[in-house]
Amino acid sequence: MAEVEQLSEELTTLKRVVQTSLHRGQLSKGVHEVCKAIESKQAKFVVLADDCSEETYKKLVVALAKQFQIPVWRVEKGALLGEWIGISKFLTKTKKIKSRKCSSVAVKDFAIEVSEAEKQFIEDKIKGL
């Protein structure tokens, strides 16, 4: 039970960081933007979906991140990332019309709305990746 709570806390904190970074223009999404952010060393960390159908996509992002020493945080589903960045379509807050995937995002910087505790939690987590 504690493991499930910890996982949800991790995902909740990651979701908040991704969404606030998106609204502040500090998020790159899609393979082109993510690779550009990695190569220019602007990315603090990358979030990569494990269910990405293109193996070469995942290999490229992981290899670039490794080369430039940028941590890669893996999530299970790209649909989850799609929801976080607002590309999934909803009829109401709970009823989803169309689920769209996003395979990767790169967080360039923490938004000012992110608390110090959340920053520290994320930084501790990415050190372990």
Side-chain angles (χ1 to χ4, degrees):
M1 186 70 176
E3 187 176 307
V4 173
E5 288 177 16
Q6 183 181 3
L7 180 65
S8 65
E9 180 186 348
E10 285 179 12
L11 287 180
T12 304
T13 305
L14 180 61
K15 175 183 176 182
R16 177 163 161 66
V17 168
V18 167
Q19 287 180 333
T20 55
S21 296
L22 172 70
H23 294 296
R24 289 291 179 179
Q26 296 296 324
L27 189 77
S28 298
K29 50 196 177 294
V31 69
H32 180 72
E33 287 184 24
V34 169
C35 290
K36 219 163 90 173
I38 292 170
E39 288 174 339
S40 64
K41 296 182 181 179
Q42 290 180 327
K44 284 197 177 290
F45 65 95
V46 173
V47 183
L48 181 66
D50 283 333
D51 70 343
C52 177
S53 58
E54 288 289 324
E55 276 303 311
T56 54
Y57 182 106
K58 291 195 298 190
K59 287 179 183 177
L60 173 67
V61 171
V62 170
L64 271 176
K66 187 174 183 178
Q67 179 182 353
F68 289 96
Q69 297 161 348
I70 295 175
V72 176
W73 189 320
R74 293 185 178 263
V75 294
E76 287 184 27
K77 299 183 186 250
L80 192 63
L81 275 179
E83 282 181 32
W84 293 354
I85 64 171
I87 61 174
S88 293
K89 303 212 187 262
F90 288 88
L91 184 60
T92 63
K93 283 188 174 185
T94 57
K95 182 164 171 118
K96 191 186 309 182
I97 295 175
K98 186 175 184 181
S99 180
R100 296 182 64 198
K101 290 182 180 182
C102 177
S103 295
S104 65
V105 295
V107 176
K108 295 179 191 174
D109 201 6
F110 294 109
I112 57 174
E113 293 87 2
V114 177
S115 70
E116 285 299 318
E118 290 171 324
K119 281 184 196 177
Q120 191 62 45
F121 181 81
I122 294 290
E123 286 172 353
D124 290 345
K125 177 69 178 168
I126 62 178
K127 282 180 187 173
L129 296 176

